[in-house]
Amino acid sequence: MALAKRYNASGPAEPATYLVGRITTAVEAGQRVLWLMSGGSCIAVAVAVAYQLQAVPAGQISLGLIDERYGPVGHPDSNYQQLIDAGFRLPGAQLRPMIVADMTAAAAAQAYAAWLEVELAAADLTIGLYGLGADGHTAGLLPGSPALGASALVAAYQGSDFERVTTTPVLMERLTEAVVYALGPGKSSAVARLLSGWPSGTDDVDAPPAHRLLQAPKLTIYTD
């Protein structure tokens, strides 16, 4: 089980400050950093972090997504596009998209997994910024998602709303740290369920998706 710590937050500033500190310390020590980020409410955190890292040499930082709503490049529900539209910029480091023109979701998932393997092998600090839904979902791992049982780093599947490409629990185990940002109605109870540990009498498929975050070596949670 992860070493889990919970901190109170009133908005994106607190987790952003924490992430900036972790990334800056690693870069100044000459380490390579892989930072992966989610969409939704995490976008505000990611934009704040990137803004504060403007003075940090970014050549040692690789950027990627935790998950994506698949579709045409630039479609309005894309996590990548929403990050860019919100002002995410980090000169010297390019955000790796999951959506690839003229490529199926399954093929894009395989390509992204190959990229992740290279980046994970090269990085000294691997940190993922995750959201948390009131229903216990995180990343593109919705309750009952076939991606929960995937053996690959990245999986593609058709959800009830979007075609999804998402990193899987396999990635969580290989991160240095997972940072969760969970503010808003219903989130505090979801955090409490997460911190209560793995639900007794459940297997890997039936447990709430966010409980896979307990597989990360370190879990830091910001909530209200």
Side-chain angles (χ1 to χ4, degrees):
M1 181 174 175
L3 172 64
K5 292 188 177 181
R6 177 188 183 278
Y7 299 96
N8 289 331
S10 57
E14 292 91 347
T17 297
Y18 176 78
L19 285 165
V20 168
R22 292 281 280 137
I23 294 170
T24 300
T25 298
V27 170
E28 290 178 347
Q31 298 179 338
R32 288 200 59 82
V33 176
L34 173 61
W35 174 31
L36 304 171
M37 63 205 77
S38 300
S41 61
C42 290
I43 289 176
V45 178
V47 170
V49 172
Y51 178 79
Q52 294 178 59
L53 289 176
Q54 297 297 304
V56 176
Q60 297 156 236
I61 305 174
S62 293
L63 306 171
L65 297 175
I66 294 287
D67 67 289
E68 183 60 283
R69 303 176 180 104
Y70 212 74
V73 172
H75 77 90
D77 292 308
S78 160
N79 287 335
Y80 177 90
Q81 191 61 47
Q82 290 181 6
L83 276 159
I84 299 304
D85 290 346
F88 184 90
R89 301 287 188 280
L90 186 56
Q94 186 174 359
L95 177 60
R96 170 61 156 84
M98 282 183 161
I99 297 176
V100 181
D102 301 321
M103 188 176 283
T104 65
Q110 290 182 340
Y112 198 80
W115 174 81
L116 268 181
E117 285 288 3
V118 173
E119 294 296 334
L120 286 167
D124 302 290
L125 173 66
T126 56
I127 193 160
L129 172 62
Y130 288 83
L132 174 63
D135 62 354
H137 86 266
T138 190
L141 302 171
L142 304 177
S145 162
L148 290 168
S151 59
L153 281 168
V154 186
Y157 73 97
Q158 180 62 58
S160 60
D161 47 4
F162 298 99
E163 191 171 18
R164 302 270 182 169
V165 174
T166 182
T167 56
T168 69
V170 177
L171 173 68
M172 297 171 184
E173 298 177 6
R174 297 178 62 179
L175 294 172
T176 306
E177 180 176 1
V179 177
V180 173
Y181 180 59
L183 271 67
K187 301 295 182 71
S188 59
S189 59
V191 169
R193 291 195 301 272
L194 172 59
L195 291 177
S196 68
W198 202 263
S200 61
T202 58
D203 58 22
D204 285 355
V205 175
D206 294 328
H211 281 64
R212 274 59 170 197
L213 289 165
L214 295 170
Q215 297 171 300
K218 183 178 181 182
L219 178 60
T220 303
I221 301 172
Y222 285 87
T223 187
D224 50 5

